[in-house]
Amino acid sequence: MSGPLGGIRVVELAMSIQGPAAGLYFANMGADVIKVEPPFGDASRYHRGVNNTLPENAPGSQFLAMNKGKRSVALDAHTNLGAEVIRRLLASADVFLTNYRSAALTRMGLDVNELLSKYPQLVIGHANGFGPRGEEADKAMLDGAAQARGGLISMTGFPGEIPIVTGVTVADHAGAMQLALGCVTGLVARGATGKGQLVQTSSLGGQLWLQMWELQHSAMTGVSLSREGRHHPNIKAPYGVYATSDDQAVLFVTAQNDEAWSSFWIYMDKPEVLLIDEWDTPGKRIGMAGSDQQLPEIRALMCEAIGSKTMAELDSFFRSEPEIIWERVRDYGDVLNDPQNIDNGYLVNIEVPGAGSVKTVGPLIDFGDTPAPDVRLPPELSADTLDLMQELGFTAEEASSLMDHSEAVRAELFAAMWGED
């Protein structure tokens, strides 16, 4: 398989986002990622989202997003044959990725420490919610719980109001990035030592990584930062989100030189603001120097100024001032059609059954000499079971037995959940 990680085999026993997103990184880079699913499949295959608005025959959006380019084996790990398939897969693999809790892995005969002795070549990437040590190492977790535990929710929202959860699954994705990076690092170390190792991280740890500056500031000052609504809690400056006269949102970051700052206020017909010495240098305007005594005043002036112009007017002006850092706040419809995302291959089109041609997030790293392979659809449940079992030395009869068992378990579970025969 082409790509910078072509020739690497990854066995993924994972569900939802944190584990599968790490596996997606490997698939995007050309690795052979084998997704081992229970007979029912990864539950995200069936998640229909808000108001059940997905096309009837389309895959679940979460499953599509996290599992492109992989292969699927469906089996019951608690049977002798299913367990043997997993053992042979691990013997053939370079990386084993999982976000199952330790107790569940042990019940399946997959205790990570025991696997290290059985498969010394393996880099084992194990992610969970709250980290591998401590009393709550095996505590159940969904994304928002890690955000709450790690402080991210406390920084989101307006002062004086109850904080709010962020609008995306940022903790799981951050944990996935750390897990993928850790496993690639483990492969590099294996090249030097000849041995694999256990690599562990968590959603909690990942979202602490996202807040390193803010946490460091509080640690050094002994004072917790506070929610600032449309502004950053540790940038005491005009920096923030403002509303235009036609009710659109624009993020103003800073004017990087005095000429741009002057042009802004002259354009706004408020040249008197230039006489406020609190904001008369680039360092002051980005919150690196000076005090914040006049912060409410400058932000009120910014609200009034930007609120006097339409987005079209501001866009025209800001484009003429390259030293002003700003951005129109884009919604998902805008993001999916942003030429910058398309030109860089961050978004690519794939043909999805039941939905037609749709955009999906593609590989986000550009390798000049070993480009990533084209994005492929996620696998149908159990689509690769027969081929992989034959490759691993199982007979056709054994493969049929395993697939028949999985199909029977799947039918029973469907009937129990949805009353289907």
Side-chain angles (χ1 to χ4, degrees):
M1 190 176 290
S2 62
L5 293 181
I8 297 295
R9 172 169 282 187
V10 178
V11 174
E12 175 194 304
L13 181 66
M15 66 183 79
S16 299
I17 293 177
Q18 185 176 202
L24 176 64
Y25 174 80
F26 280 93
N28 281 342
M29 296 299 108
D32 178 21
V33 181
I34 300 166
K35 185 176 183 69
V36 178
E37 303 184 65
F40 183 76
D42 186 326
S44 69
R45 286 182 176 274
Y46 312 106
H47 193 284
R48 310 309 293 170
V50 176
N51 297 327
N52 194 24
T53 52
L54 289 175
E56 182 177 355
N57 296 318
S61 55
Q62 186 182 111
F63 186 82
L64 173 62
M66 306 302 154
N67 294 285
K68 297 183 290 286
K70 301 176 184 178
R71 297 199 282 170
S72 171
V73 173
L75 53 80
D76 184 348
H78 300 284
T79 65
N80 291 335
L81 183 55
E84 180 61 23
V85 172
I86 293 177
R87 284 193 288 268
R88 293 194 198 180
L89 281 171
L90 293 178
S92 73
D94 300 284
V95 177
F96 175 46
L97 285 175
T98 184
N99 63 346
Y100 279 47
R101 286 190 276 170
S102 295
L105 291 171
T106 298
R107 286 194 298 271
M108 290 186 283
L110 297 172
D111 177 86
V112 291
N113 292 302
E114 292 181 5
L115 292 179
L116 283 175
S117 61
K118 293 179 181 178
Y119 311 102
Q121 87 288 355
L122 268 185
V123 173
I124 301 173
H126 185 204
N128 71 354
F130 301 101
R133 289 179 290 277
E135 292 182 358
E136 297 178 279
D138 215 28
K139 184 179 179 180
M141 191 279 304
L142 286 175
D143 183 88
Q147 291 186 35
R149 187 66 174 265
L152 189 61
I153 290 177
S154 76
M155 301 307 298
T156 307
F158 288 84
E161 297 181 8
I162 192 167
I164 57 177
V165 68
T166 61
V168 295
T169 51
V170 64
D172 271 351
H173 281 93
M177 286 191 289
Q178 291 292 302
L179 184 61
L181 180 61
C183 288
V184 170
T185 305
L187 288 173
V188 173
R190 189 183 71 172
T193 66
K195 294 178 60 178
Q197 60 183 295
L198 177 61
V199 177
Q200 295 177 288
T201 188
S202 66
S203 292
L204 174 62
Q207 61 96 50
L208 294 183
W209 176 72
L210 293 177
Q211 301 175 86
M212 282 191 290
W213 172 37
E214 294 82 3
L215 287 167
Q216 189 66 72
H217 190 81
S218 287
M220 293 175 71
T221 63
V223 178
S224 291
L225 295 173
S226 58
R227 292 187 298 284
E228 291 287 341
R230 297 186 179 95
H231 304 278
H232 190 281
N234 206 29
I235 300 178
K236 305 300 185 181
Y239 181 119
V241 178
Y242 301 92
T244 66
S245 64
D246 52 349
D247 294 322
Q248 296 194 57
V250 60
L251 174 73
F252 182 94
V253 178
T254 191
Q256 297 188 103
N257 59 36
D258 295 338
E259 291 77 13
W261 184 242
S262 296
S263 294
F264 176 80
W265 289 109
I266 291 170
Y267 173 70
M268 295 299 179
D269 197 26
K270 291 181 177 294
E272 65 274 13
V273 177
L274 299 172
L275 301 177
I276 303 176
D277 59 10
E278 180 75 13
W279 313 107
D280 63 1
T281 70
K284 293 177 181 179
R285 290 190 292 271
I286 198 62
M288 297 175 66
S291 69
D292 59 2
Q293 292 179 353
Q294 292 182 281
L295 195 59
E297 178 185 3
I298 192 64
R299 288 176 175 172
L301 288 166
M302 292 290 296
C303 282
E304 182 181 348
I306 289 177
S308 71
K309 304 292 184 182
T310 67
M311 181 59 76
E313 290 170 331
L314 287 169
D315 184 87
S316 177
F317 169 73
F318 284 140
R319 288 181 187 275
S320 72
E321 294 290 339
E323 294 304 313
I324 294 179
I325 300 176
W326 71 285
E327 278 297 334
R328 176 171 64 87
V329 176
R330 290 163 167 81
D331 63 21
Y332 280 5
D334 296 325
V335 170
L336 289 170
N337 291 288
D338 189 333
Q340 196 68 15
N341 290 332
I342 295 168
D343 290 347
N344 283 282
Y346 299 157
L347 292 170
V348 297
N349 280 77
I350 58 173
E351 290 290 330
V352 178
S357 179
V358 298
K359 291 187 176 72
T360 190
V361 176
L364 304 177
I365 305 173
D366 192 336
F367 292 88
D369 293 334
T370 55
D374 291 339
V375 173
R376 296 180 293 121
L377 284 171
E380 294 293 328
L381 180 60
S382 196
D384 305 286
T385 301
L386 178 60
D387 288 344
L388 280 164
M389 286 187 68
Q390 290 180 335
E391 175 193 321
L392 295 169
F394 291 95
T395 66
E397 290 76 17
E398 288 173 317
S400 294
S401 174
L402 182 139
M403 290 189 290
D404 289 345
H405 174 75
S406 294
E407 179 62 33
V409 172
R410 185 158 54 248
E412 183 177 336
L413 287 170
F414 268 112
M417 292 183 69
W418 291 299
E420 296 182 7
D421 295 327

